[in-house]
Amino acid sequence: MKLTIDTKVGTLSVEDGSGRRQLDLYSKESFDHIARLWTDVGWVRKYSYGFAWLGRPIIQLPDDMMRIQEAIFDTKPDVIVETGVAHGGSLLYYASLFELIGKGRVIGIDIEIRPHNRAAIEAHPLFKRVTLVEGNAVAKETVDRVKAMIAPGEKVMLILDSNHSKGHVASELDAYADLVTPGCYLLVQDGIMSFVAGMPRTGNDWSWNNPLPAIAEFLQKNPDFEPASVPRPFDETEQTPEVDVGAAGLRRLLRRATAWL
Ligand SMILES: C[S@@+](CC[C@H](N)C(=O)[O-])C[C@H]1O[C@@H](n2cnc3c(N)ncnc32)[C@H](O)[C@@H]1O
């Protein structure tokens, strides 16, 4: 695809397999194209690797962090279970939101919690709201251990941010989705893999081996979950919730229906 921006005239020309179209630069469609390009270039530039939350590196786009905050505040879960800890930034981000809300804790699962990461997370003032579990997220002993940490009646949100291959995401969904309390959210990260397939730092199989087909199959088998966006108390953006600037396709938010279907 070829995009040509003329800021003087205020147009965006799009050339692709279906021909050439000229758009108003300030239209929603132009914004979507530019956001998509921003996401692609940001991927190559490793933009999401440049942030920290309260001192710990967090591998997220700030736009996504804002939307996740909206989802957390919308439902105010008692527990977030997150697969994929890395440096601990996301765990501590959720813990700090819980600190503001006045309740809540986070269980973080990672196949390898490096000693320097563990030491820094455990020394953090917000560690009081965090439990670390080291192990393969889909191993039976890990799943059993995590499930035993959740008391009956606790409200649970689930965030999957570990291995993003189709098979692994499908296994995590099978293992943990039943933890999600009706009315709460299940967030599957890194749908971006399908968008950036073929670019530097990607695998040959990313066009299909990514979370999106796992989510589609999960939704077919689990009609009590549906794609969701967080209700917005204020929104003059004229953007669709799926295409927030810079975050196009990065995450898929599912909501478990309040009533069983
Ligand atoms: C993208 S990073 C997590 C980023 C973190 N959530 C953040 O926002 O800062 C992915 C992590 O998943 C972990 N991981 C990979 N495969 C895993 C598995 N099978 N079980 C648990 N964790 C796994 C990796 O060790 C890595 O730390």
Side-chain angles (χ1 to χ4, degrees), residues 57-60 82-90 109-112 135-138 161-164 168 172:
I58 180 166
I59 311 169
Q60 301 285 332
E82 181 180 51
T83 62
V85 170
H87 307 271
S90 56
I109 308 161
D110 203 293
I111 198 162
E112 184 191 10
N136 183 347
V138 295
D161 193 22
S162 71
N163 175 330
H164 303 291
H168 188 83
E172 286 194 351

Coordinates of all heavy atoms in Angstrom, one line a residue, residues 57-60 82-90 109-112 135-138 161-164 168 172, ligand 1:
P57 N 9.8 -1.5 34.0 CA 9.5 -1.5 32.5 C 8.2 -2.2 32.3 O 7.9 -3.3 32.9 CB 10.7 -2.3 31.9 CG 11.8 -2.2 32.9 CD 11.1 -2.2 34.3
I58 N 7.3 -1.6 31.4 CA 6.0 -2.2 31.1 C 6.0 -2.3 29.6 O 6.3 -1.3 28.9 CB 4.9 -1.3 31.7 CG1 3.5 -1.9 31.3 CG2 5.0 0.1 31.3 CD1 2.4 -1.3 32.1
I59 N 5.7 -3.4 29.0 CA 5.7 -3.6 27.6 C 4.3 -3.5 27.1 O 3.6 -4.5 26.7 CB 6.3 -5.0 27.2 CG1 7.7 -5.2 28.0 CG2 6.6 -5.1 25.7 CD1 8.2 -6.6 27.9
Q60 N 3.9 -2.2 27.0 CA 2.5 -1.9 26.6 C 2.6 -0.6 25.8 O 3.4 0.2 26.1 CB 1.6 -1.8 27.8 CG 1.4 -3.0 28.7 CD 0.6 -4.1 28.1 OE1 -0.3 -3.9 27.2 NE2 0.9 -5.3 28.5
E82 N -3.0 -12.4 35.5 CA -2.3 -12.1 34.2 C -1.2 -13.1 33.9 O -0.4 -13.4 34.8 CB -1.6 -10.7 34.3 CG -0.9 -10.4 33.0 CD -0.2 -9.0 33.0 OE1 0.6 -8.7 33.9 OE2 -0.4 -8.2 32.1
T83 N -1.3 -13.7 32.7 CA -0.1 -14.5 32.2 C 0.9 -13.6 31.5 O 0.5 -12.8 30.7 CB -0.6 -15.6 31.3 OG1 -1.2 -15.1 30.1 CG2 -1.7 -16.5 32.0
G84 N 2.1 -13.8 31.8 CA 3.2 -12.9 31.2 C 3.5 -11.8 32.1 O 2.9 -10.7 32.1
V85 N 4.6 -11.9 32.9 CA 5.0 -10.9 33.9 C 6.2 -10.1 33.3 O 6.2 -8.8 33.5 CB 5.5 -11.6 35.2 CG1 6.1 -10.6 36.2 CG2 4.3 -12.3 35.9
A86 N 7.1 -10.7 32.7 CA 8.4 -10.0 32.2 C 9.0 -9.2 33.3 O 9.4 -9.8 34.3 CB 8.0 -9.2 31.0
H87 N 9.1 -7.9 33.2 CA 9.7 -7.0 34.2 C 8.8 -6.6 35.4 O 9.2 -5.9 36.3 CB 10.3 -5.8 33.6 CG 11.2 -6.0 32.4 ND1 12.5 -6.2 32.5 CD2 10.9 -6.1 31.1 CE1 13.0 -6.4 31.3 NE2 12.1 -6.4 30.4
G88 N 7.5 -7.0 35.2 CA 6.6 -6.7 36.3 C 5.8 -5.4 36.1 O 4.9 -5.0 37.0
G89 N 6.1 -4.6 35.1 CA 5.4 -3.3 34.9 C 3.9 -3.3 34.9 O 3.2 -2.5 35.5
S90 N 3.4 -4.3 34.1 CA 1.9 -4.4 34.0 C 1.3 -4.8 35.3 O 0.3 -4.3 35.7 CB 1.5 -5.3 32.8 OG 2.1 -6.6 33.0
I109 N 1.6 -14.7 36.4 CA 2.2 -16.0 36.1 C 3.2 -15.8 35.0 O 3.0 -15.2 34.0 CB 1.1 -17.0 35.6 CG1 -0.1 -17.0 36.5 CG2 1.7 -18.4 35.3 CD1 -1.4 -17.6 35.8
D110 N 4.4 -16.4 35.2 CA 5.4 -16.4 34.1 C 6.3 -17.6 34.2 O 6.6 -18.1 35.3 CB 6.3 -15.1 34.2 CG 7.0 -14.8 32.9 OD1 7.8 -15.6 32.4 OD2 6.6 -13.7 32.3
I111 N 6.6 -18.1 33.0 CA 7.4 -19.4 32.9 C 8.8 -19.2 33.5 O 9.4 -20.1 34.0 CB 7.5 -19.9 31.5 CG1 7.9 -21.3 31.4 CG2 8.4 -19.0 30.6 CD1 7.5 -22.0 30.0
E112 N 9.3 -17.9 33.4 CA 10.6 -17.6 34.0 C 10.6 -16.2 34.6 O 10.5 -15.2 33.9 CB 11.7 -17.7 32.9 CG 13.1 -17.5 33.6 CD 14.2 -17.3 32.5 OE1 13.9 -17.2 31.3 OE2 15.3 -17.3 33.0
G135 N 6.0 -20.6 36.5 CA 5.6 -21.9 35.9 C 5.0 -21.7 34.5 O 4.6 -20.6 34.2
N136 N 5.0 -22.8 33.8 CA 4.3 -22.7 32.5 C 2.8 -22.5 32.7 O 2.2 -23.2 33.4 CB 4.5 -24.0 31.7 CG 3.9 -24.0 30.3 OD1 3.1 -23.1 30.0 ND2 4.3 -25.0 29.6
A137 N 2.3 -21.4 32.1 CA 0.9 -21.0 32.4 C -0.1 -22.1 32.2 O -1.2 -22.2 32.8 CB 0.5 -19.7 31.7
V138 N 0.2 -23.0 31.2 CA -0.8 -24.0 30.8 C -0.5 -25.4 31.5 O -1.2 -26.3 31.2 CB -0.9 -24.1 29.3 CG1 -1.4 -22.9 28.7 CG2 0.4 -24.5 28.6
D161 N -1.1 -12.4 28.3 CA 0.0 -11.6 27.7 C 1.3 -12.4 27.8 O 2.3 -11.9 28.2 CB 0.1 -10.3 28.4 CG 1.0 -9.3 27.6 OD1 1.2 -9.5 26.4 OD2 1.6 -8.4 28.2
S162 N 1.2 -13.8 27.5 CA 2.5 -14.5 27.6 C 2.9 -14.9 26.2 O 3.3 -14.1 25.4 CB 2.3 -15.7 28.6 OG 1.4 -16.7 28.0
N163 N 2.9 -16.2 25.9 CA 3.2 -16.7 24.6 C 2.0 -16.4 23.7 O 0.9 -16.9 24.0 CB 3.5 -18.2 24.7 CG 3.8 -18.9 23.4 OD1 3.2 -18.5 22.4 ND2 4.6 -19.9 23.4
H164 N 2.2 -15.7 22.6 CA 1.0 -15.3 21.8 C 0.7 -16.2 20.6 O 0.0 -15.8 19.7 CB 1.2 -13.9 21.3 CG 1.5 -12.9 22.4 ND1 0.5 -12.6 23.3 CD2 2.5 -12.2 22.8 CE1 0.9 -11.7 24.2 NE2 2.2 -11.5 24.0
H168 N -0.9 -21.7 22.0 CA -0.8 -21.4 23.4 C -1.9 -20.6 23.9 O -2.4 -20.8 25.0 CB 0.6 -20.7 23.6 CG 0.9 -20.5 25.1 ND1 1.4 -21.5 25.9 CD2 0.5 -19.5 25.9 CE1 1.5 -21.1 27.2 NE2 0.9 -19.9 27.2
E172 N -4.4 -21.4 27.0 CA -4.6 -20.5 28.1 C -6.1 -20.2 28.2 O -6.7 -20.2 29.4 CB -3.8 -19.2 28.0 CG -2.3 -19.4 28.2 CD -1.6 -18.1 28.4 OE1 -2.2 -17.0 28.2 OE2 -0.4 -18.1 28.8
Ligands
LIG1 C1 5.1 -9.8 26.5 S1 5.9 -10.4 27.9 C2 4.8 -9.8 29.2 C3 4.8 -8.3 29.3 C4 4.1 -7.8 30.5 N1 2.8 -8.3 30.7 C5 4.1 -6.3 30.5 O1 3.1 -5.7 30.1 O2 5.1 -5.7 30.8 C6 5.7 -12.1 27.8 C7 6.1 -12.9 29.0 O3 5.5 -14.2 28.9 C8 6.3 -15.2 29.4 N2 5.9 -16.5 28.9 C9 6.2 -17.0 27.7 N3 5.7 -18.3 27.6 C10 5.1 -18.5 28.8 C11 4.3 -19.6 29.3 N4 4.2 -20.8 28.6 N5 3.8 -19.5 30.5 C12 4.0 -18.4 31.2 N6 4.7 -17.3 30.8 C13 5.2 -17.4 29.6 C14 7.7 -14.7 29.0 O4 8.7 -15.3 29.9 C15 7.6 -13.2 29.1 O5 8.1 -12.7 30.3

